[in-house]
Amino acid sequence: MNSQITAQISNMIHLTRNFETACQLAALQDDGKMSGDEKRTLQKTLSASQKFRKDLEKIG
């Protein structure tokens, strides 16, 4: 595989991990607790991000 594409895939994998961490911190930022709505939103967001990352890992 093209080394530039491989590098971009690797970069995106790292970005998804950082995105997940940022979302978790953002959910706690306003009051230090996660409401039910925040938990549901975070769960859906993390699930989509993890699925995307796993698909990228299969390619790379």
Side-chain angles (χ1 to χ4, degrees):
M1 183 185 305
N2 179 317
S3 63
Q4 294 299 316
I5 293 173
T6 302
Q8 290 302 318
I9 290 171
S10 177
N11 185 43
M12 188 56 69
I13 289 169
H14 293 293
L15 284 172
T16 59
R17 288 190 180 121
N18 290 340
F19 171 74
E20 291 169 10
T21 301
C23 287
Q24 291 170 339
L25 292 173
L28 296 171
Q29 193 168 21
D30 59 344
D31 60 0
K33 298 177 186 175
M34 273 194 250
S35 68
D37 187 45
E38 288 172 325
K39 286 180 184 178
R40 284 186 293 279
T41 301
L42 182 61
Q43 186 177 18
K44 289 178 184 179
T45 303
L46 294 179
S47 177
S49 178
Q50 291 166 0
K51 182 182 182 306
F52 179 58
R53 185 176 65 246
K54 287 177 185 176
D55 287 344
L56 288 173
E57 289 170 345
K58 289 177 189 176
I59 297 169

